[in-house]
Amino acid sequence: MSKTTRVPFWLIRFRNFLVLLLSNRLAAVGMFLLLMFVVMAAAAPLLTPYRPTGNAVSANYDPPTWITLINGPVGYSQNAQFSALSVNMSSSGLATIPTKTGNSVALDFAGSSPGGTVQITETLSYPYQGSPKQIIGDAMILIPGSGALNKSFNVTAYVNRIGVSRFLFWSPTTINKTGTYNPSPAINSGNPAFNSQLGIGQQFSAANYVFAAEKANYQYVLTISVPAGFSGRINVSSFDLNLFGNTWGIFGTDDAGHDIFTQVVYGARLSLEVGLVATGIGIGLGLLIGLMAGYLGKIVDEVLMRTTDMLLVIPFLPLLIVLVATIGPSLIYIILLIGFFSWMGFARVIRSQVLSLRERPFIEAAKASGAGTGYITVRHIFPNIVSLTYVNLALTVPASIVTEAALSFLGLGDPTVITWGSMLGAANSVGATVSNLAWWWILPPGLSIALISLAFILLGYAMDELFNPRLRRRR
Amino acid sequence: MGLRGYLVKRLLNTVVLVIFVIILNFVIFELLPGPNGAIANLTGRAKGNPQAIHNLQLQLGLCQSFDSNGKCIPPSLWSKFFVYFQNMLTFNFGQSQQTGNSVLHDMIGTGRLWNTLELLGTATAISLIVGILLGVVVAARRGGVFDSTMVTVSLTTFSLPTFFMGLLLILVFALYLPWFPSGGVTPSTWLLGTPPLLQQILTRIRYLFLPALTLTLFFYGGNLLLTRATMGEALTEDYITTARAKGLPERTVLFKHALRNASLPIVTNAALAFGGILGGAIITETVFNWDGLGLWLYNAIYWHDFPVLQAMFYIIALCVIGANLVSDIVYGMIDPRIKYE
């Protein structure tokens, strides 16, 4: 045989195999779905800027924003934030501004100031036709140094719906000492004290009282009134008002305001990891045990197959449940356990295939020409069972993924990660009253599990048809 | 070896399996550090009346006796296993840590077992009937539009996990179309007084509907696909051609000639799939708050109630082993071709 450079044989075979496989329509669909999830898993950090276990991104139970395409824009809002602040003074020389950023500013008052007011203003042109679900604001005054000030000054903050009305957010407060000052009650529409300061009942929220369900222009204003001769520095920091809308992102938010899209995207990683690693372990064990039982035969075969039969009868999910409940929930244990209990069926298939191969003439011939057990196994038996391995791989992966999801659903998943199963489990357990069940929290993870399983099952069935001559004939 | 030999062999096999399950249970619940480790730690570090602690340790089986210094002599592995084995054979599972009642009472006396049997029985029966009937029809029209539609639909319902299917059904049929209750076995108002019998039955069926549908959708697909496959094989046999040539009606050919011969793998599969259905039932009961053994197991996980966990695993394993034995016996009796090796 001449050794010229050419495409390796296995590569050609693999390519031919792929072409043949993908000529089956269902297999092509399966491959497309699988590629979609692989891309999702690989490019997770590019697809979403958030982390699955990160902070809340919006109000809780927000449906996706595209719901406005179905129901129309009326009544729906999204997150909004006021612009960077600008400073206006009643007289131009009142204070100097040494530093100023988007939401903080420092004001220096010389002792010679004539007195007057400084207005710090942020603006918002509210574009939505629904009120926000929640508003959370901040306004912090920090006076550095220690001891009393030379003169006291007043501070107040309000929101102004331009041309309509004004809402007091920080009732006028006199400050005469150094230190840190925050509005009290805290600016949060979830805070009953804040709502009652605005003069609305406990059952109402400042969010829809202040921000009407229509497009309008708003100002968020902090006023500092200093008397003549006031000297010193006043730092205004984190002067901000965040409006959390009642819709969010592609898949909305869960019960704590986390981004569901992020959890789904990162869940693809975990699911593929669980499915492939557990199946890898299962296939490896199955190959080893099946080959040993089939090829060594006799007492080895008897012992291995009796054990396999016994393990096959033991109900798989309940066994996993008690094992994980006793050992402790951790993703690694779960993967190992699923892998360790998914080899039995495959081992039986391999054993029967090896038993039939062992009697074939080409094995006899190899034996006769002096080939050892290892050589025969690797060069003659193994290539003949590769197709079985592919089929089994494709059908075991979804089983592993669904098993992990079931464990997570039952609350036995790794508590440090968020998988599709644990998302559904959380949705189910907080949805004790059915009206809490959010479709946008159930459909994305559920459909993901279903589609990823379907992808593997379609590929598996197509390969089965490809490799199984009896099925091929009848098509 | 005749049929009797075959049955004896199967029975022996079953006994070995039961012993295997008891050993597995023993390893998981007595040897792994989880459940007993915590208790041993607690009693080992307890301060107070030494006599009371000793009594507790004796009672929990942590110590067999005490030497002259009051030091604990733990029981040997064998004596521990012997006691455990006895307990398992006599269904003595100890007390539930949630309720303090005996585990067996909580399992049967509270109606949980009945609730689970009601759900499982309904779903298994319907899915077998529907799966087999549809499978026969589909096999008769192999290659047609109905065939490919049914195969796709059953592959889809097959790959939808039970918990997702359950949540979907609740969303559609309990939340958006409020036709059925979203969970529970009976309405809570029944605690005050039960309505007349007919109304009771109707209400129970309304409560049973969604969980049973979930389990049925999970299970019928396998039956359908298997029936389609075995029927497909049987329909190519010569005796079918003969039957058709005789001019028998197609229904007779399908159900009397083909299905009868194709039914063996279906019977076996129904028994083998029993473990899977039990797993599905645990999840379905959790989704629908169905107060059966599955929900009990779910709560036991949450409360780390190990006596309940161990009892449940043992009972489920026994059920599956029993189902296998029954299917083996049925197989041995109805299949004339079987070689009693």
Side-chain angles (χ1 to χ4, degrees):
Chain A
M1 265 199 344
S2 63
K3 287 222 163 188
T4 47
T5 51
R6 50 177 191 171
V7 187
F9 175 63
W10 64 265
L11 201 64
I12 297 176
R13 208 164 74 157
F14 186 66
R15 200 199 57 198
N16 290 346
F17 166 66
L18 267 188
V19 169
L20 201 59
L21 184 66
L22 293 185
S23 62
N24 181 331
R25 209 163 26 141
L26 288 180
V29 172
M31 192 56 109
F32 170 76
L33 284 174
L34 182 59
L35 279 179
M36 192 181 85
F37 282 109
V38 169
V39 167
M40 209 156 123
L46 300 177
L47 289 173
T48 166
Y50 310 104
R51 300 285 305 168
T53 48
N55 294 325
V57 293
S58 184
N60 58 354
Y61 286 121
D62 275 3
T65 44
W66 46 262
I67 197 169
T68 55
L69 298 178
I70 303 165
N71 292 353
V74 178
Y76 290 109
S77 59
Q78 295 180 29
N79 288 1
Q81 209 177 5
F82 277 79
S83 69
L85 56 81
S86 64
V87 182
N88 291 310
M89 297 178 209
S90 59
S91 57
S92 59
L94 189 57
T96 55
I97 303 171
T99 60
K100 183 179 152 202
T101 62
N103 62 1
S104 63
V105 64
L107 301 165
D108 270 344
F109 294 89
S112 59
S113 74
T117 59
V118 180
Q119 277 203 334
I120 297 162
T121 310
E122 295 183 353
T123 58
L124 169 70
S125 165
Y126 191 68
Y128 306 112
Q129 297 178 40
S131 296
K133 203 184 235 172
Q134 193 180 14
I135 55 176
I136 296 177
D138 220 349
M140 188 162 89
I141 303 257
L142 197 153
I143 298 146
S146 61
L149 299 167
N150 73 333
K151 294 199 165 162
S152 63
F153 68 95
N154 287 319
V155 61
T156 180
Y158 54 88
V159 164
N160 192 5
R161 192 191 303 165
I162 295 171
V164 183
S165 48
R166 165 181 290 205
F167 307 92
L168 192 63
F169 272 40
W170 190 353
S171 48
T173 306
T174 305
I175 294 173
N176 55 14
K177 279 202 296 248
T178 55
T180 309
Y181 298 87
N182 286 302
S184 170
I187 302 172
N188 185 339
S189 61
N191 178 2
F194 175 69
N195 291 338
S196 63
Q197 172 194 296
L198 284 168
I200 53 179
Q202 297 260 329
Q203 71 272 36
F204 297 109
S205 157
N208 25 15
Y209 180 64
V210 176
F211 295 90
E214 60 188 19
K215 296 175 183 176
N217 291 313
Y218 294 89
Q219 283 178 325
Y220 181 36
V221 184
L222 182 77
T223 309
I224 298 171
S225 318
V226 294
F230 176 81
S231 74
R233 164 171 290 198
I234 299 176
N235 286 323
V236 176
S237 61
S238 60
F239 180 59
D240 227 348
L241 186 57
N242 287 307
L243 281 60
F244 294 108
N246 58 16
T247 63
W248 167 263
I250 301 173
F251 287 156
T253 59
D254 66 8
D255 65 326
H258 298 123
D259 183 25
I260 290 175
F261 179 70
T262 304
Q263 298 181 349
V264 169
V265 165
Y266 278 91
R269 283 188 171 186
L270 294 166
S271 277
L272 283 173
E273 188 184 316
V274 170
L276 293 176
V277 176
T279 308
I281 296 172
I283 294 264
L285 280 173
L287 266 181
L288 186 73
I289 290 167
L291 279 174
M292 271 168 63
Y295 201 77
L296 299 178
K298 298 194 188 82
I299 183 76
V300 180
D301 183 27
E302 191 65 20
V303 170
L304 286 179
M305 281 305 113
R306 288 298 139 254
T307 319
T308 310
D309 284 349
M310 284 203 267
L311 284 175
L312 263 178
V313 176
I314 308 295
F316 178 54
L317 188 66
L319 176 62
L320 274 181
I321 289 175
V322 294
L323 275 174
V324 176
T326 31
I327 295 176
S330 133
L331 197 62
I332 295 171
Y333 290 152
I334 292 174
I335 292 176
L336 287 177
L337 284 174
I338 294 177
F340 188 75
F341 288 106
S342 54
W343 57 265
M344 288 85 77
F346 185 53
R348 295 224 66 150
V349 174
I350 291 296
R351 170 183 170 271
S352 59
Q353 185 72 7
V354 171
L355 279 183
S356 102
L357 282 172
R358 206 172 58 170
E359 309 300 327
R360 305 270 175 89
F362 66 92
I363 303 279
E364 303 257 305
K367 256 189 204 156
S369 34
T373 308
Y375 181 85
I376 291 180
T377 311
V378 173
R379 299 303 298 242
H380 293 292
I381 306 259
F382 201 69
N384 280 299
I385 51 178
V386 166
S387 62
L388 283 176
T389 314
Y390 284 144
V391 175
N392 195 271
L393 186 78
L395 297 179
T396 314
V397 170
S400 309
I401 290 176
V402 170
T403 306
E404 189 279 330
L407 286 176
S408 294
F409 178 82
L410 291 175
L412 285 168
D414 193 325
T416 60
V417 294
I418 295 175
T419 65
W420 292 337
S422 62
M423 290 171 75
L424 287 171
N428 181 50
S429 61
V430 300
T433 59
V434 179
S435 54
N436 267 352
L437 274 186
W439 57 265
W440 57 90
W441 196 9
I442 291 169
L443 289 185
L447 284 179
S448 299
I449 297 173
L451 286 180
I452 209 170
S453 310
L454 192 66
F456 281 103
I457 289 175
L458 287 177
L459 282 174
Y461 268 78
M463 283 195 272
D464 204 18
E465 247 168 43
L466 209 61
F467 295 131
N468 197 335
R470 285 179 55 174
L471 288 174
R472 205 186 318 163
R473 181 169 45 111
R474 202 174 285 130
R475 272 218 313 151
Chain B
M1 199 190 290
L3 180 61
R4 184 181 294 172
Y6 170 79
L7 291 183
V8 168
K9 201 173 167 186
R10 292 288 104 192
L11 266 176
L12 270 179
N13 202 16
T14 306
V15 171
V16 172
L17 264 173
V18 171
I19 295 174
F20 176 70
V21 165
I22 293 179
I23 295 176
L24 199 66
N25 239 350
F26 180 71
V27 170
I28 295 174
F29 288 100
E30 298 286 318
L31 298 190
L32 286 184
N36 283 306
I39 299 169
N41 254 340
L42 272 179
T43 54
R45 275 185 295 161
K47 293 188 176 63
N49 180 358
Q51 192 52 48
I53 293 173
H54 284 178
N55 284 343
L56 191 63
Q57 285 173 328
L58 281 175
Q59 195 191 334
L60 291 170
L62 293 168
C63 302
Q64 195 177 32
S65 56
F66 298 91
D67 65 11
S68 52
N69 300 327
K71 212 163 165 289
C72 174
I73 301 170
S76 73
L77 194 62
W78 281 115
S79 65
K80 241 171 137 177
F81 179 70
F82 186 69
V83 172
Y84 191 83
F85 196 80
Q86 250 181 346
N87 284 341
M88 284 294 125
L89 287 187
T90 52
F91 294 102
N92 175 12
F93 302 115
Q95 293 169 343
S96 159
Q97 284 164 9
Q98 295 169 75
T99 60
N101 298 331
S102 91
V103 170
L104 216 54
H105 169 266
D106 273 5
M107 183 185 285
I108 299 166
T110 52
R112 287 196 176 97
L113 184 67
W114 168 248
N115 286 343
T116 293
L117 287 179
E118 185 185 324
L119 175 62
L120 264 183
T122 317
T124 313
I126 296 177
S127 59
L128 269 175
I129 295 169
V130 170
I132 292 174
L133 281 183
L134 279 179
V136 171
V137 175
V138 157
R141 302 180 188 176
R142 207 178 170 100
V145 180
F146 185 66
D147 177 29
S148 50
T149 316
M150 279 323 292
V151 170
T152 316
V153 168
S154 28
L155 276 180
T156 313
T157 52
F158 200 54
S159 51
L160 282 184
T162 347
F163 43 92
F164 179 46
M165 179 78 81
L167 285 172
L168 267 187
L169 288 178
I170 292 181
L171 265 185
V172 177
F173 295 110
L175 184 58
Y176 295 120
L177 307 169
W179 295 347
F180 296 100
S182 66
V185 182
T186 52
S188 49
T189 49
W190 282 17
L191 292 173
L192 301 174
T194 47
L197 190 67
L198 180 69
Q199 203 186 335
Q200 263 192 52
I201 294 172
L202 288 178
T203 312
R204 278 192 85 104
I205 290 176
R206 244 167 64 83
Y207 274 78
L208 179 65
F209 188 82
L210 285 185
L213 182 63
T214 308
L215 264 184
T216 306
L217 285 176
F218 162 68
F219 188 49
Y220 88 98
N223 289 323
L224 186 148
L225 293 174
L226 188 70
T227 310
R228 177 178 175 269
T230 54
M231 280 291 286
E233 224 158 279
L235 282 175
T236 59
E237 303 281 352
D238 292 339
Y239 59 80
I240 297 294
T241 320
T242 314
R244 283 190 178 136
K246 280 197 296 187
L248 289 181
E250 188 64 17
R251 193 185 296 169
T252 316
V253 175
L254 283 179
F255 286 95
K256 278 221 162 133
H257 293 247
L259 180 60
R260 211 171 248 199
N261 285 291
S263 61
L264 278 175
I266 304 170
V267 171
T268 328
N269 183 59
L272 286 179
F274 193 63
I277 308 177
L278 280 171
I282 295 172
I283 289 167
T284 309
E285 288 187 3
T286 310
V287 175
F288 287 95
N289 231 13
W290 183 266
D291 190 21
L293 300 182
L295 190 66
W296 192 42
L297 179 65
Y298 174 73
N299 288 329
I301 297 169
Y302 184 79
W303 290 104
H304 295 280
D305 196 342
F306 289 107
V308 172
L309 279 176
Q310 107 183 343
M312 274 300 291
F313 177 60
Y314 182 63
I315 296 285
I316 290 176
L318 280 193
C319 288
V320 174
I321 293 171
N324 271 277
L325 180 67
V326 169
S327 103
D328 277 343
I329 292 173
V330 171
Y331 207 106
M333 289 197 296
I334 64 175
D335 191 357
R337 289 169 302 187
I338 196 162
K339 284 179 278 173
Y340 310 111
E341 36 161 333

